[in-house]
Amino acid sequence: MSQLATTDADTIAFELRQRLDGEVRFDPGSRHLYATDASNYRQVPVGVVVPKTIDDVIATVEVCRQHGVPITSRGGGTSLAGQCCNVAVVIDFSKYLHGVEEIDYDDRRARALPGTVLDVIRNRTQPEGYTWGPSPSTHNRCTVGGMIGNNACGMHAFAYGRTEDNVEELDILLYDGTRMTVGPTSEEELESIIAAGGRKGEIYRRLRDLRERHADLIRERFPDIPRRVSGYNLTELLPENGFHVARALVGTEGTCVTVLGATLELNPYPSEQVLLVLGFEDVYAAGRAVKDVRHADGLYALEGIDQHLVDNIAEKGLHDDALDYLPDGNGWLLCEFRADDQQEALENAQALAKEMEGYDQLNGDHIYEDSNEQETVWQAREAGLGATAHFKGTDHWPGWEDSAVHPDDVGDYLEDLRELFHEHGLDPSLYGHFGDGCIHCRIGFDLRSAAGVANYRRFIEDAADLCAEYGGSFSGEHGDGQQRGELLERMYGPELVDAMREFKAIWDPDGKMNPGKVIDARPLDADLRLGADYRPWNPETVFAFPEDDHSFHRAALRCVGVGKCRREDGEGTMCPSYFVTREEMHSTRGRARLLFEMLQPDAELDGWRDEHVEEALDLCLSCKACATDCPVNVDMATYKAEFLHHHYEGRVHPRVHYAMGLIDLWSRLAQKMPGIANTALSVPGLSWVLKKAAGVATERPAPKYAAETFREWFAGRASSGRPTPNGEVILFPDTFMNHFHPAVGKATVEVLEDAGYAVRLPPDSLCCGRPLYDYGFLDRARDYLEQLMEVFGPEVSAGTKIVGVEPSCVAVFRDELTEMFPHHDDANRIADATFMLSEFLVDEADYDFPQLNRKALVHGHCHHKGALGLDGESRALDALGLDWEELDASCCGLAGSFGFEAGDKYEVSVQAGERKLLPKVREAAPSDLIVADGFSCRTQIQQLQRINGGPGRRALHLSEVILMAKAEGPNGPTGPGFVEDGWVADDTNAWFTRKDGLVLAGVGLAAAAAFAVKRARG
């Protein structure tokens, strides 16, 4: 397993389980799950502990001490220098040990547990006018303990300083079991503590002696720059800094003590902001301007980006709309001004803009007052990681990603650094916290060959020498870890590094605290995740993975560990299962890392058959949100489908896979006798037995089959007689619409005909096979797609367009089809010719939308957001005249068949829906429309309201909203009821009707029961 014998590890695990309330995980899956962080390094740990209490942490350290086993503390796991991976017992604080214990606004203090996510603190304090100053880009998932470990910074460190500058006290635990609280210490207090003796007195005496021996050298050799993060903070022991032991421990990366809690200093947080963007001839000119810009009144952040990054953003299409907001130039400074008054912030920005008029190599400027415009511009800066991690088939890595110099030297340093890159055959983008002299980049190192790894080492050594010449810091916010620890003598000299070594020994004489990091660090080219001997298994796959060199191992390598999938909150959909469980293995990152580990020759995992990997993937909702939300576009839904295909190849699947994955076949059978099928699925007792036998959650009401399918209705309807000046369009009747909710299809036909199109349907046997992917039935799915291409290929070649109403099915046409057949002409033609109804109406039909003066809450289906994009939907809703709001509610939780499965999946489904979506729906006014194009989303909204005692409001498909507007005029129906008076809910298979009695659309719903709406007049 690791360097520890398996029997010893078993003994440690046993003893930990006897002592802890928390979780003890020494199984191969858990160990490989924590084998790396966001760095270049990989070290499989001895085991993982997820403590529930502080007492659990104390007991863990005690057991490890008794066995002489090292420990490594872990928060968000986003460290870039290898701090969070080690051959040790990893303690993950993030799942349980989080929360703000106390806030004192009078003293401007907050106390938090180590696993507390930064945004939890900021969301509590900023409405009161205060904040905790550090603001790294990972603010919605990084933890207090991790920030203390790495001395985190972020863009607002320009105004507030590093984590070091914002910590007042720490509650710490030593490897020997000593627990104490440390903070600032006056000289009188210092002597009193020493005189009291004991372990604390001994530590403080030795720290005092260390200081007195090295004080002059510390003052002389420590770089006097804003972002000196490398090495230990021995400066905090100086008398002029108050012998601040807590701040001296910040940035020690878990190599000295374990942090159990922290008292943090709060700072005033002005609520209004204005953004000034300055465009220069190049990034070097932008860098040289920093010394003249950084002293502006009211400046809270000063960031820089170069043309190279802008080109990457444009090519990858990541927030490329932000580029339109940049003034002319090839290098930019983004200057954020804050004040309590918007006018004051604006005047400060204007003052700097006026001062910069005529500045050498300044091409232009622009001031943004609108918060949405400011956010758009900031996206260009924040897109740095996603735009550079994988670019033009080359992977880019950390290594020299956050060096820092004095801000006055930024321009010259950038120019010299660029020259050094070119000497080594490298050409990264340069961006970062220019106002603090901190430069970010990800570098296209070749970490897979001996020559490439050698060049990697040579470059970092040369870069360290260059940075030292500037009096800079090798790290400006990410820490040293293993990446830069061995280079510290080049920055500080041997005597100061010896002093740091002594500092560590005072706290950790046994050397068991995160060994091999910072001091006496392992070589920077050891323990690489890749390396010259990197030879992963590269299995044959059904999906082609065209964006990953047609290689599954390249797809699994795509995750860089940034951890956005683990965010506490914020916009976006991924990762719904992590939101519920707070489990690393239920994050996109965790799943990707296990798939990566599965392919490694030394892994204790059983390839496609591995049950640990299957367990991690089991609660993946296949929502596809990660394909767009993830900065590097990890597509876990596709990876999961591929894994399950091989996992069950030649074996019988669980029964629920057949029950739900083959829903199109069962629905065709039920079509022959819908009444009998509905009775069997709804009668108490019988329905329970059937669900239990199928592995379906007995708590879930079964969707009811429509008495008449959409296809049957369409075949029997008389011609509308309307003119069709725009020709024909094919409407794809997916299984869900056809068998369960034909109302949506009927409304869509009405709308398309109103737009001047003749509507045709494809052959009855055609199905996209959407549910098959969720269970790995890829051979059958491939057959379905080949049939689809055979039928639709000639149609789209002749110019016919295809319209779908179910986002998950349209996503198959646009995503899975080309993923399986990337070089098939018909596949690409069909993908280009297939539209959601909204897209077709706004982009192809130029439809004259009727008006509806209503408020609407809109919930986007995950596949709509992830694989298709909501732009067409947004424009259609705007064209309808609706006052609408898109719910930031992640996945609805039902996710196709996921929420119908028994056990954990049902529970996760309900919790995901109740997290944001259902509370928002319940809060909506009776007159507000609820709009959701996804069958799953509409079903979840209906069922969970009824399960939880709600009124059972029905969400509408866009086609039904358009029909409502057309039938009733701008103001729609009025009064109480489902929407307002005249729209009454009941449990029959009723219809929306027009005044003349013409049936416009059916409203059969697969929910707690068939649900419908009648128009009732007095």
Side-chain angles (χ1 to χ4, degrees), residues 532-650:
D533 58 351
Y534 177 63
R535 293 178 180 83
W537 175 40
N538 193 20
E540 292 187 6
T541 57
V542 179
F543 284 106
F545 300 102
E547 299 298 319
D548 294 290
D549 299 334
H550 302 279
S551 165
F552 186 73
H553 91 79
R554 289 277 293 132
L557 185 61
R558 179 176 282 267
C559 175
V560 297
V562 70
K564 187 180 177 184
C565 48
R566 286 173 47 98
R567 71 193 187 285
E568 184 74 16
D569 210 337
E571 294 183 358
T573 302
M574 76 167 181
C575 184
S577 52
Y578 177 80
F579 283 142
V580 173
T581 69
R582 296 183 68 94
E583 280 281 358
E584 174 70 15
M585 73 170 171
H586 296 146
S587 68
T588 304
R589 180 179 73 182
R591 294 173 178 125
R593 288 299 164 76
L594 272 180
L595 289 169
F596 171 85
E597 290 290 314
M598 179 190 82
L599 303 175
Q600 306 315 305
D602 64 343
E604 301 169 61
L605 301 175
D606 189 21
W608 294 125
R609 300 294 198 195
D610 191 80
E611 297 300 326
H612 303 289
V613 181
E614 195 276 336
E615 178 188 10
L617 291 170
D618 189 50
L619 290 187
C620 170
L621 284 75
S622 296
C623 67
K624 280 192 172 292
C626 48
T628 50
D629 285 0
C630 171
V632 291
N633 310 115
V634 169
D635 184 0
M636 191 52 60
T638 298
Y639 305 171
K640 176 185 177 181
E642 188 71 52
F643 177 86
L644 291 178
H645 169 77
H646 298 283
H647 187 73
Y648 290 107
E649 194 168 18

Side-chain angles (χ1 to χ4, degrees), residues 201-259:
E202 175 197 359
I203 289 171
Y204 274 59
R205 176 185 58 78
R206 294 179 64 187
L207 291 175
R208 180 201 61 187
D209 294 347
L210 183 153
R211 176 194 72 181
E212 291 180 355
R213 290 197 311 273
H214 299 286
D216 290 340
L217 191 60
I218 290 171
R219 294 185 182 101
E220 174 189 340
R221 289 297 303 270
F222 269 67
D224 184 18
I225 59 175
R227 290 296 190 92
R228 194 269 308 144
V229 169
S230 281
Y232 291 157
N233 296 324
L234 302 184
T235 52
E236 296 292 353
L237 300 178
L238 297 174
E240 58 265 34
N241 292 326
F243 201 81
H244 206 309
V245 178
R247 292 181 178 178
L249 287 168
V250 172
T252 54
E253 303 180 9
T255 62
C256 296
V257 300
T258 299
V259 175

Side-chain angles (χ1 to χ4, degrees), residues 38 74-80 84 92-95 97-100 112-123 132-155 163 264 477-478 561-569 578 582 584 589:
R74 179 174 166 125
T78 58
S79 295
L80 286 155
C84 288
D92 184 348
F93 288 85
S94 65
K95 184 176 181 181
L97 284 177
H98 53 84
V100 180
L113 291 170
T116 307
V117 169
L118 171 58
D119 270 3
V120 171
I121 301 172
R122 302 202 309 181
N123 291 341
W132 190 41
S135 57
S137 60
T138 54
H139 54 84
N140 56 11
R141 64 263 194 200
C142 66
T143 65
V144 167
M147 294 176 67
I148 290 168
N150 291 355
N151 201 0
C153 298
M155 73 178 194
T163 295
L264 313 171
E477 66 179 347
H478 297 156
V562 70
K564 187 180 177 184
C565 48
R566 286 173 47 98
R567 71 193 187 285
E568 184 74 16
D569 210 337
Y578 177 80
R582 296 183 68 94
E584 174 70 15
R589 180 179 73 182

Side-chain angles (χ1 to χ4, degrees), residues 773 781-789 812 817 820-821:
Y773 300 94
R782 190 180 182 91
D783 291 342
Y784 278 25
L785 293 184
E786 287 177 340
Q787 183 183 14
L788 185 149
M789 288 190 292
V812 173
L817 179 60
M820 276 197 186
F821 302 96

Side-chain angles (χ1 to χ4, degrees), residues 741 942 946 951-955 978 985-990 1003-1013:
H741 200 170
Q942 175 77 28
R946 290 199 166 187
R953 289 188 56 177
R954 187 173 79 82
F978 154 55
D986 66 14
D987 290 325
T988 65
N989 198 19
V1003 194
L1005 178 67
F1011 179 81
V1013 178

Side-chain angles (χ1 to χ4, degrees), residues 357-435:
E357 287 179 2
Y359 194 88
D360 185 38
Q361 294 187 301
L362 177 67
N363 286 6
D365 63 64
H366 199 96
I367 293 175
Y368 295 97
E369 299 178 65
D370 181 80
S371 60
N372 291 326
E373 291 181 341
Q374 292 182 56
E375 177 62 26
T376 300
V377 178
W378 278 119
Q379 288 173 350
R381 163 65 181 85
E382 294 170 358
L385 174 60
T388 60
H390 302 282
F391 187 66
K392 293 184 176 178
T394 302
D395 295 323
H396 289 69
W397 306 101
W400 198 250
E401 79 288 347
D402 70 324
S403 59
V405 296
H406 193 282
D408 291 354
D409 295 328
V410 167
D412 292 340
Y413 178 64
L414 285 171
E415 203 154 21
D416 289 343
L417 186 59
R418 175 68 73 191
E419 184 176 340
L420 184 63
F421 279 127
H422 289 167
E423 288 177 12
H424 288 266
L426 305 167
D427 189 27
S429 304
L430 297 173
Y431 57 99
H433 313 294
F434 284 14

